[in-house]
mmCIF file of all heavy atoms in Angstrom:
data_model
loop_
_atom_site.group_PDB
_atom_site.id
_atom_site.type_symbol
_atom_site.label_atom_id
_atom_site.label_comp_id
_atom_site.label_asym_id
_atom_site.label_seq_id
_atom_site.Cartn_x
_atom_site.Cartn_y
_atom_site.Cartn_z
ATOM 1 N N GLY A 665 49.281 72.840 -36.077
ATOM 2 C CA GLY A 665 49.786 71.863 -35.121
ATOM 3 C C GLY A 665 51.293 71.771 -35.053
ATOM 4 O O GLY A 665 51.831 70.767 -34.570
ATOM 5 N N ALA A 695 49.481 77.912 -29.817
ATOM 6 C CA ALA A 695 50.266 76.889 -30.514
ATOM 7 C C ALA A 695 50.688 75.774 -29.558
ATOM 8 O O ALA A 695 50.635 74.587 -29.895
ATOM 9 C CB ALA A 695 51.484 77.531 -31.170
ATOM 10 N N CYS A 696 51.108 76.176 -28.350
ATOM 11 C CA CYS A 696 51.494 75.171 -27.351
ATOM 12 C C CYS A 696 50.293 74.299 -26.973
ATOM 13 O O CYS A 696 50.415 73.075 -26.802
ATOM 14 C CB CYS A 696 52.048 75.851 -26.103
ATOM 15 S SG CYS A 696 53.622 76.691 -26.355
ATOM 16 N N SER A 697 49.115 74.930 -26.855
ATOM 17 C CA SER A 697 47.914 74.211 -26.460
ATOM 18 C C SER A 697 47.547 73.132 -27.469
ATOM 19 O O SER A 697 47.156 72.028 -27.092
ATOM 20 C CB SER A 697 46.751 75.199 -26.300
ATOM 21 O OG SER A 697 45.538 74.540 -26.078
ATOM 22 N N HIS A 698 47.680 73.423 -28.747
ATOM 23 C CA HIS A 698 47.275 72.477 -29.782
ATOM 24 C C HIS A 698 48.376 71.492 -30.144
ATOM 25 O O HIS A 698 48.192 70.685 -31.053
ATOM 26 C CB HIS A 698 46.803 73.235 -31.025
ATOM 27 C CG HIS A 698 45.455 73.850 -30.858
ATOM 28 N ND1 HIS A 698 44.299 73.175 -31.113
ATOM 29 C CD2 HIS A 698 45.082 75.079 -30.415
ATOM 30 C CE1 HIS A 698 43.259 73.957 -30.860
ATOM 31 N NE2 HIS A 698 43.714 75.118 -30.433
ATOM 32 N N SER A 699 49.501 71.566 -29.438
ATOM 33 C CA SER A 699 50.571 70.587 -29.674
ATOM 34 C C SER A 699 50.987 69.873 -28.397
ATOM 35 O O SER A 699 51.965 69.123 -28.390
ATOM 36 C CB SER A 699 51.794 71.293 -30.296
ATOM 37 O OG SER A 699 51.473 71.843 -31.553
ATOM 38 N N GLY A 700 50.283 70.156 -27.302
ATOM 39 C CA GLY A 700 50.561 69.470 -26.038
ATOM 40 C C GLY A 700 51.877 69.863 -25.403
ATOM 41 O O GLY A 700 52.464 69.082 -24.651
ATOM 42 N N LEU A 701 52.365 71.084 -25.661
ATOM 43 C CA LEU A 701 53.654 71.539 -25.113
ATOM 44 C C LEU A 701 53.407 72.220 -23.763
ATOM 45 O O LEU A 701 53.391 73.455 -23.658
ATOM 46 C CB LEU A 701 54.327 72.501 -26.103
ATOM 47 C CG LEU A 701 54.557 71.942 -27.526
ATOM 48 C CD1 LEU A 701 55.159 73.015 -28.421
ATOM 49 C CD2 LEU A 701 55.444 70.710 -27.483
ATOM 50 N N VAL A 702 53.248 71.396 -22.738
ATOM 51 C CA VAL A 702 52.863 71.908 -21.421
ATOM 52 C C VAL A 702 53.960 72.758 -20.807
ATOM 53 O O VAL A 702 53.723 73.896 -20.376
ATOM 54 C CB VAL A 702 52.483 70.739 -20.489
ATOM 55 C CG1 VAL A 702 52.159 71.278 -19.092
ATOM 56 C CG2 VAL A 702 51.304 69.960 -21.043
ATOM 57 N N ASP A 730 43.412 75.379 -21.133
ATOM 58 C CA ASP A 730 43.140 74.467 -22.238
ATOM 59 C C ASP A 730 44.321 73.528 -22.468
ATOM 60 O O ASP A 730 44.140 72.323 -22.716
ATOM 61 C CB ASP A 730 42.851 75.274 -23.505
ATOM 62 C CG ASP A 730 42.412 74.412 -24.659
ATOM 63 O OD1 ASP A 730 41.403 73.705 -24.521
ATOM 64 O OD2 ASP A 730 43.100 74.419 -25.703
ATOM 65 N N LEU A 731 45.539 74.073 -22.376
ATOM 66 C CA LEU A 731 46.749 73.265 -22.557
ATOM 67 C C LEU A 731 46.841 72.165 -21.492
ATOM 68 O O LEU A 731 47.077 70.988 -21.798
ATOM 69 C CB LEU A 731 47.978 74.177 -22.502
ATOM 70 C CG LEU A 731 49.361 73.533 -22.463
ATOM 71 C CD1 LEU A 731 49.576 72.652 -23.686
ATOM 72 C CD2 LEU A 731 50.444 74.591 -22.375
ATOM 73 N N GLY A 733 44.370 71.028 -19.665
ATOM 74 C CA GLY A 733 43.231 70.121 -19.791
ATOM 75 C C GLY A 733 43.423 69.117 -20.903
ATOM 76 O O GLY A 733 43.140 67.919 -20.739
ATOM 77 N N ARG A 734 43.917 69.554 -22.071
ATOM 78 C CA ARG A 734 44.153 68.627 -23.185
ATOM 79 C C ARG A 734 45.173 67.556 -22.807
ATOM 80 O O ARG A 734 45.103 66.419 -23.279
ATOM 81 C CB ARG A 734 44.650 69.405 -24.407
ATOM 82 C CG ARG A 734 43.591 70.224 -25.117
ATOM 83 C CD ARG A 734 44.250 71.068 -26.208
ATOM 84 N NE ARG A 734 43.294 71.965 -26.839
ATOM 85 C CZ ARG A 734 42.528 71.635 -27.876
ATOM 86 N NH1 ARG A 734 42.582 70.413 -28.374
ATOM 87 N NH2 ARG A 734 41.687 72.513 -28.390
ATOM 88 N N ALA A 735 46.135 67.950 -21.946
ATOM 89 C CA ALA A 735 47.174 67.006 -21.519
ATOM 90 C C ALA A 735 46.703 66.131 -20.356
ATOM 91 O O ALA A 735 47.509 65.415 -19.744
ATOM 92 C CB ALA A 735 48.433 67.774 -21.127
ATOM 93 N N ASN A 736 45.407 66.211 -20.030
ATOM 94 C CA ASN A 736 44.800 65.426 -18.948
ATOM 95 C C ASN A 736 45.362 65.778 -17.576
ATOM 96 O O ASN A 736 45.369 64.974 -16.656
ATOM 97 C CB ASN A 736 44.952 63.916 -19.205
ATOM 98 C CG ASN A 736 43.925 63.102 -18.421
ATOM 99 O OD1 ASN A 736 42.944 63.641 -17.900
ATOM 100 N ND2 ASN A 736 44.150 61.798 -18.306
ATOM 101 N N HIS A 767 38.065 63.896 -21.238
ATOM 102 C CA HIS A 767 38.683 62.912 -20.345
ATOM 103 C C HIS A 767 37.684 62.338 -19.336
ATOM 104 O O HIS A 767 38.088 61.708 -18.348
ATOM 105 C CB HIS A 767 39.866 63.546 -19.615
ATOM 106 C CG HIS A 767 40.955 64.004 -20.555
ATOM 107 N ND1 HIS A 767 41.746 63.127 -21.234
ATOM 108 C CD2 HIS A 767 41.351 65.254 -20.922
ATOM 109 C CE1 HIS A 767 42.622 63.806 -21.988
ATOM 110 N NE2 HIS A 767 42.389 65.096 -21.809
ATOM 111 N N ARG A 916 34.151 72.278 -34.669
ATOM 112 C CA ARG A 916 35.248 71.347 -34.429
ATOM 113 C C ARG A 916 34.894 69.973 -35.004
ATOM 114 O O ARG A 916 33.775 69.495 -34.844
ATOM 115 C CB ARG A 916 35.505 71.243 -32.926
ATOM 116 C CG ARG A 916 36.691 70.387 -32.532
ATOM 117 C CD ARG A 916 36.896 70.495 -31.027
ATOM 118 N NE ARG A 916 38.024 69.678 -30.585
ATOM 119 C CZ ARG A 916 37.946 68.422 -30.203
ATOM 120 N NH1 ARG A 916 36.763 67.804 -30.238
ATOM 121 N NH2 ARG A 916 39.004 67.755 -29.801
ATOM 122 N N HIS A 922 36.984 62.414 -37.990
ATOM 123 C CA HIS A 922 38.449 62.434 -38.034
ATOM 124 C C HIS A 922 38.963 61.076 -38.521
ATOM 125 O O HIS A 922 39.866 60.989 -39.379
ATOM 126 C CB HIS A 922 39.006 62.779 -36.649
ATOM 127 C CG HIS A 922 40.469 63.099 -36.632
ATOM 128 N ND1 HIS A 922 41.431 62.127 -36.462
ATOM 129 C CD2 HIS A 922 41.128 64.275 -36.776
ATOM 130 C CE1 HIS A 922 42.625 62.686 -36.480
ATOM 131 N NE2 HIS A 922 42.465 63.999 -36.681
ATOM 132 N N ARG A 943 41.661 74.453 -35.662
ATOM 133 C CA ARG A 943 42.991 74.205 -36.205
ATOM 134 C C ARG A 943 42.889 73.479 -37.545
ATOM 135 O O ARG A 943 41.796 73.189 -38.040
ATOM 136 C CB ARG A 943 43.815 73.362 -35.248
ATOM 137 C CG ARG A 943 43.183 72.019 -34.940
ATOM 138 C CD ARG A 943 44.132 71.087 -34.257
ATOM 139 N NE ARG A 943 45.255 70.788 -35.136
ATOM 140 C CZ ARG A 943 46.421 70.332 -34.709
ATOM 141 N NH1 ARG A 943 46.622 70.127 -33.424
ATOM 142 N NH2 ARG A 943 47.385 70.071 -35.545
ATOM 143 N N HIS A 945 43.912 70.087 -39.907
ATOM 144 C CA HIS A 945 44.256 68.661 -39.891
ATOM 145 C C HIS A 945 44.730 68.283 -41.298
ATOM 146 O O HIS A 945 43.974 68.441 -42.267
ATOM 147 C CB HIS A 945 43.039 67.803 -39.519
ATOM 148 C CG HIS A 945 42.491 68.104 -38.160
ATOM 149 N ND1 HIS A 945 42.843 67.391 -37.042
ATOM 150 C CD2 HIS A 945 41.610 69.053 -37.740
ATOM 151 C CE1 HIS A 945 42.204 67.868 -35.996
ATOM 152 N NE2 HIS A 945 41.442 68.885 -36.396
ATOM 153 N N CYS A 952 47.230 61.706 -39.535
ATOM 154 C CA CYS A 952 46.883 63.131 -39.394
ATOM 155 C C CYS A 952 48.026 63.880 -38.726
ATOM 156 O O CYS A 952 48.686 63.368 -37.812
ATOM 157 C CB CYS A 952 45.599 63.299 -38.575
ATOM 158 S SG CYS A 952 45.109 65.043 -38.393
ATOM 159 N N SER A 953 48.238 65.108 -39.167
ATOM 160 C CA SER A 953 49.317 65.938 -38.624
ATOM 161 C C SER A 953 49.124 66.248 -37.147
ATOM 162 O O SER A 953 50.084 66.563 -36.448
ATOM 163 C CB SER A 953 49.392 67.252 -39.405
ATOM 164 O OG SER A 953 48.163 67.960 -39.288
ATOM 165 N N CYS A 954 47.875 66.165 -36.652
ATOM 166 C CA CYS A 954 47.624 66.508 -35.245
ATOM 167 C C CYS A 954 48.038 65.390 -34.299
ATOM 168 O O CYS A 954 48.053 65.595 -33.078
ATOM 169 C CB CYS A 954 46.142 66.826 -35.041
ATOM 170 S SG CYS A 954 45.051 65.383 -35.110
ATOM 171 N N GLY A 955 48.370 64.205 -34.860
ATOM 172 C CA GLY A 955 48.713 63.078 -33.998
ATOM 173 C C GLY A 955 47.553 62.666 -33.114
ATOM 174 O O GLY A 955 47.761 62.182 -31.993
ATOM 175 N N ASP A 956 46.349 62.872 -33.621
ATOM 176 C CA ASP A 956 45.109 62.567 -32.887
ATOM 177 C C ASP A 956 45.003 63.364 -31.580
ATOM 178 O O ASP A 956 44.406 62.896 -30.602
ATOM 179 C CB ASP A 956 45.011 61.054 -32.596
ATOM 180 C CG ASP A 956 44.933 60.239 -33.879
ATOM 181 O OD1 ASP A 956 44.452 60.802 -34.896
ATOM 182 O OD2 ASP A 956 45.363 59.078 -33.884
ATOM 183 N N PHE A 957 45.605 64.557 -31.592
ATOM 184 C CA PHE A 957 45.540 65.441 -30.422
ATOM 185 C C PHE A 957 45.029 66.791 -30.926
ATOM 186 O O PHE A 957 45.748 67.532 -31.588
ATOM 187 C CB PHE A 957 46.939 65.575 -29.802
ATOM 188 C CG PHE A 957 46.975 66.442 -28.573
ATOM 189 C CD1 PHE A 957 46.742 65.901 -27.315
ATOM 190 C CD2 PHE A 957 47.241 67.805 -28.652
ATOM 191 C CE1 PHE A 957 46.776 66.699 -26.185
ATOM 192 C CE2 PHE A 957 47.269 68.604 -27.533
ATOM 193 C CZ PHE A 957 47.039 68.049 -26.293
ATOM 194 N N TRP A 958 43.737 67.073 -30.636
ATOM 195 C CA TRP A 958 43.218 68.353 -31.128
ATOM 196 C C TRP A 958 42.104 68.900 -30.259
ATOM 197 O O TRP A 958 41.574 68.285 -29.397
ATOM 198 C CB TRP A 958 42.738 68.210 -32.578
ATOM 199 C CG TRP A 958 41.427 67.541 -32.782
ATOM 200 C CD1 TRP A 958 40.215 68.139 -32.938
ATOM 201 C CD2 TRP A 958 41.158 66.139 -32.878
ATOM 202 N NE1 TRP A 958 39.217 67.219 -33.133
ATOM 203 C CE2 TRP A 958 39.768 65.971 -33.103
ATOM 204 C CE3 TRP A 958 41.959 64.990 -32.793
ATOM 205 C CZ2 TRP A 958 39.152 64.722 -33.244
ATOM 206 C CZ3 TRP A 958 41.354 63.765 -32.949
ATOM 207 C CH2 TRP A 958 39.966 63.634 -33.165
#
Side-chain angles (χ1 to χ4, degrees):
C696 293
S697 173
H698 285 273
S699 297
L701 304 177
V702 177
D730 186 58
L731 171 59
R734 286 174 185 273
N736 201 14
H767 298 290
R916 184 174 180 270
H922 192 271
R943 59 167 297 159
H945 299 265
C952 181
S953 60
C954 72
D956 297 333
F957 181 88
W958 77 96

